[in-house]
Amino acid sequence: MTEVRKRGGKGRDPDSVSDKEADGEDRLGLPGEAGGDGEYKADTPSVPPSTADNTPQFLKEAVEGLNPRWKNCCIRGVLSMAMISGFFMMIYLGPIMLIVVVMTIQIKCFQEIIDIGYRVYHSYELPWFRTLSWYFLVCVNYFFYGETLAEYFGALVQREEPLQFLVRYHRFISFAVYLAGFCMFVLSLVKKHYRLQFYMFAWTHVTLLIVVTQSHLVIQNLFEGMIWFLVPVSIVICNDIMAYLFGFFFGRTPLIKLSPKKTWEGFIGGFFGTLVFGFILAYLLAQFQYFVCPVEYNSETNRFTAECEPSDIFVMHEYTLPFTVQSILRWKTVTIYPYQIHSVALSTFGSLIGPFGGFFASGFKRAFKIKDFADTIPGHGGIMDRFDCQYLMATFTHVYIASFIRGPNPSKVLQQLLVLQPEQQLSIFNAMRDRLRDRGILPPAATEAM
């Protein structure tokens, strides 16, 4: 029997084991894959640590002599103020510049995550990994921004013949472009690296889901009105600052193991600070048409405009306070913008759920044994380290607008009508005329004139 077993082991067909044994180099050491000594390997390879220090020389000299804790605090504070100042400048320059900034941040975040994967598996020399990753980024952006072009630039599309063709067949073109990348990936598969290549294929697509899809939602929020872009973004920034300050001065109780520096004191202090900040910011911005009106493209001036009659949520309303609150504040009513109530919902999400985007990023970094996604911003890490919570907030804001705020948009309906053929436009006109006449909205004299 022993001899038979030995012969059975020697006589196996090489083709039957090629996918299991021939990929010995294809193992990642995932849980459940034992090494030759019977012990499990580490669950992931680590990323070589970055030793670069991008801190400006004048800042190094200014904080020299401080203990590391205060030194890091000062560097973070100075660069935070610089970033906030730059953010105000982008707001002043208008919607186009904000869209450019969002796209730039998206590309940088994508690069940081893809570079981690490239460094982790660089020794395997996977063919076409980086090239295909960037190709898929272009494909997905083409799809999303093409949809935006069709939705918000109807008048421009109607004027330009090439754009009409691209918009009409946009989804087919997008699919064909993506399919070309898919075929290139299949053709690049190497026998000894099948598993790794599929891991990295999934890595790229999850990165696209996290970064590109949600950055597209940021731009969608911007078109609903700059206030829907500025308030959520500012809420996350405020919560980050407030949580850091409360944790720095009062932090004693650890909050979560994934992020040891986070404390309950910082989490709770950030929550209340963000509620107050969001409520006040909503009041200040709701007074200006520039912030509350939807951003629309004006085909006559070839510019974006934000002019409208503000909707009800940006008009002052008087509310009767609950009896318990009346007895405390001695006020029976309060006059506020309805948007301020919505800002409380946004602030609550941004301070209670938003940080979980940061915890998710912390778990990701721990999995690959890295401190930061990159060293782009001294004291802060990479761009992704600053925007890990923003993407989650953008998704919530988009869902919130779609569920509780957005109504029919006459401007979008008109743009869609202008793209139709003249016969279709005339048919819709006649149907609308008859319906308005039947409801008594259109005077008989007007009907006869038509």
Side-chain angles (χ1 to χ4, degrees), residues 227-280:
I227 196 168
W228 291 106
F229 169 82
L230 296 176
V231 170
V233 168
S234 301
I235 281 172
V236 173
I237 294 172
C238 173
N239 181 253
D240 191 42
I241 294 172
M242 290 290 183
Y244 178 79
L245 292 176
F246 275 92
F248 185 85
F249 290 106
F250 309 109
R252 296 290 183 275
T253 313
L255 175 64
I256 187 169
K257 289 182 179 180
L258 279 174
S259 193
K261 293 184 179 179
K262 298 289 192 300
T263 63
W264 275 104
E265 291 80 4
F267 186 74
I268 296 171
F271 169 67
F272 287 106
T274 304
L275 279 182
V276 174
F277 171 82
F279 195 80
I280 295 173

Side-chain angles (χ1 to χ4, degrees), residues 6 10 14 148 152-153 170 194 225 256 278 287 308 330 346 369 383 394 423 444:
K6 287 181 180 179
K10 291 178 181 179
T148 300
Y152 293 100
F153 296 82
H170 171 67
Y194 287 155
I256 187 169
Q287 302 177 50
C308 67
R330 309 275 184 196
L346 295 175
K369 304 176 180 65
I383 298 294
E423 300 80 12

Side-chain angles (χ1 to χ4, degrees), residues 320-338:
T320 302
L321 296 173
F323 180 77
T324 306
V325 179
Q326 290 183 26
S327 61
I328 297 173
L329 299 179
R330 309 275 184 196
W331 296 342
K332 290 186 177 181
T333 61
V334 63
T335 303
I336 60 174
Y337 292 102

